[in-house]
Amino acid sequence: MSSTNSDRFIANPPLITPSELITSLPQAFEKGLESGDLLFFESTVTKHAENGVDFEIRKCPALLHKPTLPTPHFNGAPPTATASDDKAGKPDPFAPPYPKGLCLGQLKGEDDSEYIVMLNKFSVVKHHFLLITKDFQSQNIPPTPPDLVMAYQILLAARRTRPAPREFLAFFNCGERSGASQPHKHLQFIPLEEYGGPMEVAISKAGIDTENKAFSLPAFPYAHYIRRLPTRLQSASIAVDELYDALAQAFMSLLDLTIAAIRNDPEEHPRGSPSYNVILTPEHLMVVPRSKEKFTISPSALPADAPQREEGLSMSINSLGFAGMFLVKSDEEGARVSEVGVVKMLAGVGVPRMADDSLAEPQSRDDLGDSGAGGTSSNL
């Protein structure tokens, strides 16, 4: 490595703890901006009420100028060199050496698992970061128990931060239809200004107290499977083995339901590795099976002068969509999303619910069944 590259890249990042990771974010984010390694795009958020949920539609006009990358190959092998490799000449942006302006350090977890933590290079939300397997693993394989334990420990570390506790949401896009943008396995974390995000609020209102059975929200027609996590997992004295077992058992039960739903819909989801989204908060774990990566708004639903009038408007949806957060590039796109309906779009890229789910029955603490529209906007 040249001396110039050694100033900008690091091959062996320092070992950190989840708490150190969270407290380092503000300063690291500013340094990333100063270095030029990190790009931050301003955005505004509009609330869109539908099926009793205040969905967030985030508009980021700068994304109009960002090139659309092809869906990565999920063949289980590290990516090979292309003309669009990053500045270090690497086909895999998550392989060493790591840009100093993005790399936060490395974490060691259970079963000798090792992770690199990096800020998201193209950030729409400040302090968005990634938990990346140190050695290449495919984004096509499920999160392992050590992955889930490390993610959960990070969420708890954020909530325990003093003097100002922070809320984060963890998510994982698995497979080619999930909205994943890189083939190297990584979980993502975004900070939340309010508890849990839109869908987490709706899930909490469902009133499910049982911790050993999956449930779904009746107001949403697509398959989605949720487990309430035991409150004891949030204790500072919880044994790692107990955390490991609880998260592994919860995830496997949801994955079984997810695969069953996909097999129940063979026309929309052909044979091959399943695609799904995983959303994790300190209180709940949710898995959503996927049939498509993108929802296409038909040309007939677009204005005559819309640039996508001939082929329709295609929008990629990842885990954040199912967490209640949509990203659009313009007022026009935002208007189309509101007109078509968020729930219709989610159902269009999801999998139909099975009639015999045998899930726990929600006892709603608040009405989650009425549709509505409206919103307020705020700058971030």
Side-chain angles (χ1 to χ4, degrees):
M1 186 186 296
S2 70
S3 59
T4 301
N5 273 352
S6 65
D7 291 338
R8 294 190 56 246
F9 294 90
I10 183 170
N12 188 30
L15 189 65
I16 58 174
T17 66
S19 295
E20 290 169 338
L21 159 63
I22 297 300
T23 56
S24 72
L25 281 172
Q27 185 176 11
F29 187 86
E30 294 305 319
K31 287 185 176 180
L33 288 174
E34 292 172 5
S35 72
D37 288 329
L38 187 151
L39 302 175
F40 175 65
F41 305 109
E42 295 286 348
S43 62
T44 57
V45 173
T46 297
K47 301 286 188 178
H48 170 77
E50 191 176 326
N51 284 38
V53 176
D54 285 332
F55 290 97
E56 295 179 2
I57 300 179
R58 182 181 295 272
K59 182 187 70 174
C60 183
L63 296 181
L64 286 168
H65 309 294
K66 180 184 174 184
T68 300
L69 299 177
T71 300
H73 295 289
F74 294 96
N75 57 11
T80 54
T82 69
S84 61
D85 290 348
D86 70 6
K87 293 180 181 179
K90 301 179 301 179
D92 179 2
F94 298 157
Y98 312 102
K100 287 183 177 179
L102 297 178
C103 188
L104 300 170
Q106 60 178 312
L107 293 163
K108 291 192 175 182
E110 298 305 300
D111 297 344
D112 298 320
S113 57
E114 295 181 298
Y115 306 92
I116 298 298
V117 187
M118 295 175 64
L119 291 165
N120 184 29
K121 181 177 179 64
F122 302 101
S123 289
V124 176
V125 177
K126 290 183 178 181
H127 307 167
H128 177 176
F129 66 90
L130 316 176
L131 179 70
I132 305 159
T133 57
K134 187 173 183 179
D135 295 327
F136 180 85
Q137 295 180 29
S138 173
Q139 191 75 5
N140 212 29
I141 63 175
T144 63
D147 296 340
L148 294 170
V149 169
M150 181 57 70
Y152 199 78
Q153 289 175 329
I154 291 171
L155 295 178
L156 293 185
R159 189 171 278 186
R160 293 169 184 158
T161 300
R162 297 294 182 268
R166 302 191 67 183
E167 289 287 325
F168 276 78
L169 175 82
F171 63 97
F172 180 70
N173 304 314
C174 185
E176 61 184 345
R177 300 177 186 89
S178 67
S181 59
Q182 293 291 341
H184 188 146
K185 190 179 186 185
H186 61 288
L187 288 83
Q188 303 187 55
F189 298 76
I190 61 164
L192 303 169
E193 293 194 4
E194 299 176 354
Y195 163 79
M199 282 301 294
E200 178 69 7
V201 171
I203 291 168
S204 297
K205 289 178 180 178
I208 293 291
D209 294 323
T210 181
E211 298 172 348
N212 57 6
K213 192 171 185 179
F215 67 97
S216 295
L217 301 181
F220 299 93
Y222 52 86
H224 60 288
Y225 304 107
I226 309 162
R227 282 284 295 265
R228 179 177 173 82
L229 299 174
T231 54
R232 68 179 185 279
L233 300 187
Q234 298 184 42
S235 170
S237 61
I238 186 76
V240 174
D241 287 348
E242 186 175 359
L243 185 60
Y244 184 109
D245 292 342
L247 291 172
Q249 192 277 330
F251 176 70
M252 289 307 300
S253 71
L254 299 180
L255 187 59
D256 285 345
L257 288 165
T258 293
I259 292 174
I262 289 171
R263 288 175 176 168
N264 194 53
D265 189 38
E267 292 185 5
E268 289 293 331
H269 204 299
R271 288 182 177 274
S273 298
S275 293
Y276 51 88
N277 298 119
V278 181
I279 299 167
L280 177 66
T281 71
E283 283 73 36
H284 297 98
L285 177 64
M286 178 165 70
V287 181
V288 184
R290 295 291 298 272
S291 61
K292 301 181 184 70
E293 177 200 350
K294 296 180 180 181
F295 182 89
T296 300
I297 299 175
S298 66
S300 61
L302 300 174
D305 59 349
Q308 306 90 352
R309 187 67 170 84
E310 292 187 6
E311 69 278 6
L313 173 61
S314 290
M315 300 182 63
S316 179
I317 298 174
N318 66 12
S319 295
L320 288 181
F322 289 94
M325 294 171 267
F326 264 64
L327 182 63
V328 299
K329 302 173 184 177
S330 64
D331 288 331
E332 179 65 29
E333 282 192 6
R336 300 289 81 78
V337 170
S338 297
E339 289 172 5
V340 172
V342 170
V343 175
K344 181 178 179 179
M345 294 180 68
L346 294 177
V349 298
V351 170
R353 296 177 70 135
M354 295 187 295
D356 56 348
D357 276 338
S358 299
L359 304 178
E361 186 69 26
Q363 301 295 323
S364 178
R365 296 194 184 102
D366 202 353
D367 186 11
L368 293 176
D370 292 338
S371 297
T376 58
S377 67
S378 59
N379 291 320
L380 293 185

